[in-house]
Amino acid sequence: MSHVVLKLAKTKITEMKHAYQRYLLNKSVPYTEFIAKKNGITITAYTSGKVMFQGNDAEKEAALWGDATDTKSPQSTAAKTSLPPNFSQRSIIGSDEVGNGSYFGPLVVCAVYAETEKLPALKKLGVKDSKMLTDPQIRQLAPQIKALVPYQQLIVEPRKYNEIQPAYNAVRMKVALHNQAIYLLQKKIAPQKPEGILIDQFTSEANYRKYLRSEKNQVTENLFFITKGEQYHLAVAAASILCRAAFLEALEKASSEVGIHLPSGAGTKSDEAAAKILKKGGIALLGDYAKLHFANTVKAEKIAAR
């Protein structure tokens, strides 16, 4: 039985509770937000912000929600979480992703190469964690970042996502995309070589490397993994901004195309929007705009059937 723990914000836990509504257990356990059981997997959310997944497919279920730490191999997460001295001032490739937790819109991964000489200019632009910026600020910064530093962006639209998702769980898909973005960016900047590659950590290093073995163009050397990577190097912060800008643009375009406002995230507004799409064109149309394996699909079908 595998055993996976996530550390999540309260807003994400609230979102999870809604997503697992039909699987909630009627238990009152101290210091827990909720306990659910889905397909043999027990999900326990604690008031501390930790969420525990227990069961044979715990890793797969946890991967739907992001930054997992596999407690079966605690040593694997300790590797390289302490960065070399003056890492923030080195010439680094940083990568990040956006869209993994949103029902609508694509999954976007971006890698940015920020040389030491470019760091002051990035800082002057106001580059920082995209979560600390408004959407208009992100849209304004993205083209300036693209003009300043080399980058590689990969976008998986929902239709393609749904095609490969049965074979690629959320973690494996992100590993494939991060690796490919980094590989292509390295080719762009050759013969220059980064002093390190910082990946905004979404799974343990051991897990990342396990899935990496399935990839064709494996980037295996000089990798560092740390959560909130944007706080440790501007390359990751710049990558997060480019990802968010591309995601917002894609979501806006999709909303215009289908004639229905498509919200970010995976809450009740997503359920309602999906129900409207189902009534308009059925599951085939919904598959063009949404990640169908999310619990939102079942909820939307119930709303549409009313």
Side-chain angles (χ1 to χ4, degrees), residues 111-267:
V112 166
Y113 176 51
E115 294 180 83
T116 300
E117 294 76 14
K118 296 292 180 67
L119 296 178
L122 284 172
K123 188 173 183 180
K124 187 176 181 180
L125 282 180
V127 171
K128 55 186 174 182
D129 181 7
S130 63
K131 298 180 187 67
M132 299 173 65
L133 299 167
T134 64
D135 288 349
Q137 287 175 320
I138 287 169
R139 290 175 183 271
Q140 183 179 8
L141 277 172
Q144 298 179 68
I145 293 170
K146 289 179 178 180
L148 184 62
V149 292
Y151 70 96
Q152 178 64 51
Q153 187 170 277
L154 299 176
I155 300 176
V156 181
E157 296 291 351
R159 174 57 64 186
K160 182 64 175 179
Y161 181 99
N162 293 325
E163 288 177 8
I164 63 178
Q165 186 274 323
Y168 280 71
N169 65 32
V171 173
R172 184 182 176 189
M173 195 181 301
K174 288 193 286 186
V175 169
L177 291 169
H178 276 267
N179 176 72
Q180 185 67 359
I182 293 165
Y183 170 77
L184 293 173
L185 182 55
Q186 282 185 322
K187 290 184 69 175
K188 281 184 180 179
I189 65 174
Q192 288 179 286
K193 290 186 177 181
E195 296 177 76
I197 299 168
L198 181 60
I199 298 171
D200 194 43
Q201 188 170 16
F202 53 88
T203 190
S204 68
E205 179 177 356
N207 209 30
Y208 182 97
R209 291 187 181 277
K210 179 186 76 173
Y211 285 119
L212 187 60
R213 289 195 288 270
S214 302
E215 297 306 307
K216 182 181 178 182
N217 303 309
Q218 299 174 22
V219 179
T220 61
E221 296 180 3
N222 220 7
L223 299 178
F224 296 90
F225 305 82
I226 196 163
T227 56
K228 301 187 184 302
E230 65 282 345
Q231 297 180 7
Y232 296 89
H233 202 282
L234 288 176
V236 178
S240 73
I241 291 170
L242 295 189
C243 283
R244 180 67 180 169
F247 176 80
L248 290 171
E249 183 179 348
L251 203 58
E252 187 177 272
K253 181 182 176 183
S255 296
S256 176
E257 187 177 284
V258 76
I260 296 168
H261 173 67
L262 305 180
S264 178

